[in-house]
Amino acid sequence: EVQLVESGGGVVQPGGSLRLSCEASGLTFDDYAMHWVRQAPGKGLEWVSLISWNGATTYYADSVKGRFTISRDNSKNSLHLQMNSLRPEDSALYYCAKDHHDDNGHFSGAFDCWGQGALVIVSS
Amino acid sequence: IQLTQSPATLSASVGDRVTITCRASQNITNWLAWYQQKPGKAPKLLIYKASNLESGVPSTFGGSGSGTEFTLTINSLQPDDFATYYCQYYNTYSAYSFGQGTTLEIK
């Protein structure tokens, strides 16, 4: 069974930094691109960032570009999100999520496994 | 590309058939997925590539559409189906976006 477990959330002041981690188990981690998706309290889902299977390619939502950095360590089955220059509007539950591949192993553009989330609160 | 879901809230009864619509501002071919989210839980993938049922998802769920208009249909609503549903698209520039969500509540 695939499991994704996030950690590193907390309360931080505006302008501060935080590093989230996601530990993966039950899968061949380096077979998949990985994502961060966030959800502000009572709001909808917002895709944040993607990292390719080998870490060579990364993409970011415009709302976090230049402030957040996604990385992975395939030797430790771990995914990270370094968040700098945090703003109150970054307050959210941050999920790590795995790329979905269909039964033929083809990329589908969806996310099929999610962690339980790490809560980030940016407040003075 | 913007995704617009309708309705924002839907009231229905157990046993009903319901349809949720997701409209894209541009043609996204079939790069659309549907998720179910219950309070305090992570989203769950239901449908990928517009009409493909994810493994383990009941066959009462179905997806259709292509281009700019997509639908999620739930046949014979069960008590466990009352939740919030999101559509999500992917494009070849590795951009992902979600609809604003549809809350399905018990009438």
Side-chain angles (χ1 to χ4, degrees):
Chain A
E1 179 193 4
V2 176
Q3 277 201 312
L4 301 173
V5 179
E6 299 93 338
S7 61
V11 180
V12 61
Q13 291 189 338
S17 298
L18 213 54
R19 186 177 190 243
L20 302 183
S21 296
C22 172
E23 304 296 322
S25 60
L27 76 166
T28 304
F29 186 63
D30 56 10
D31 275 353
Y32 300 96
M34 296 293 294
H35 303 259
W36 289 98
V37 177
R38 68 185 181 183
Q39 186 169 36
K43 303 295 185 183
L45 299 165
E46 179 187 15
W47 174 80
V48 172
S49 184
L50 148 74
I51 188 166
S52 61
W53 66 274
N54 61 357
T57 305
T58 58
Y59 294 95
Y60 300 91
D62 288 344
S63 57
V64 307
K65 204 172 293 183
R67 300 186 298 122
F68 289 14
T69 303
I70 191 172
S71 62
R72 66 190 294 162
D73 183 342
N74 287 344
S75 69
K76 296 181 179 178
N77 285 7
S78 62
L79 173 73
H80 306 282
L81 186 68
Q82 177 66 43
M83 305 184 293
N84 298 331
S85 303
L86 282 161
R87 305 166 179 168
E89 56 265 35
D90 295 318
S91 296
L93 189 63
Y94 284 73
Y95 294 104
C96 66
K98 166 189 161 294
D99 246 15
H100 173 257
H101 294 177
D102 66 20
D103 292 343
N104 295 315
H106 298 144
F107 167 77
S108 79
F111 317 120
D112 64 346
C113 295
W114 301 63
Q116 84 290 349
L119 183 62
V120 173
I121 299 172
V122 184
S123 174
S124 54
Chain B
I1 295 180
Q2 304 297 319
L3 292 180
T4 303
Q5 284 184 236
S6 61
T9 305
L10 180 57
S11 297
S13 301
V14 172
D16 284 355
R17 178 176 183 266
V18 298
T19 298
I20 298 169
T21 298
C22 181
R23 290 186 173 87
S25 56
Q26 297 178 36
N27 186 347
I28 59 172
T29 59
N30 65 344
W31 290 102
L32 192 97
W34 289 96
Y35 300 85
Q36 176 194 70
Q37 187 179 33
K38 296 180 180 179
K41 299 292 187 182
K44 173 186 175 183
L45 176 64
L46 300 174
I47 303 287
Y48 63 93
K49 297 290 290 290
S51 61
N52 295 275
L53 192 67
E54 170 67 344
S55 176
V57 174
S59 59
T60 51
F61 288 89
S64 64
S66 66
T68 61
E69 186 152 337
F70 303 84
T71 59
L72 173 70
T73 299
I74 311 173
N75 293 296
S76 187
L77 274 172
Q78 300 302 303
D80 192 49
D81 297 336
F82 293 92
T84 299
Y85 292 85
Y86 293 93
C87 58
Q88 171 252 318
Y89 96 96
Y90 157 81
N91 77 14
T92 52
Y93 298 99
S94 291
Y96 298 78
S97 184
F98 290 89
Q100 78 276 23
T102 294
T103 300
L104 176 57
E105 58 183 30
I106 299 176
K107 187 183 289 183

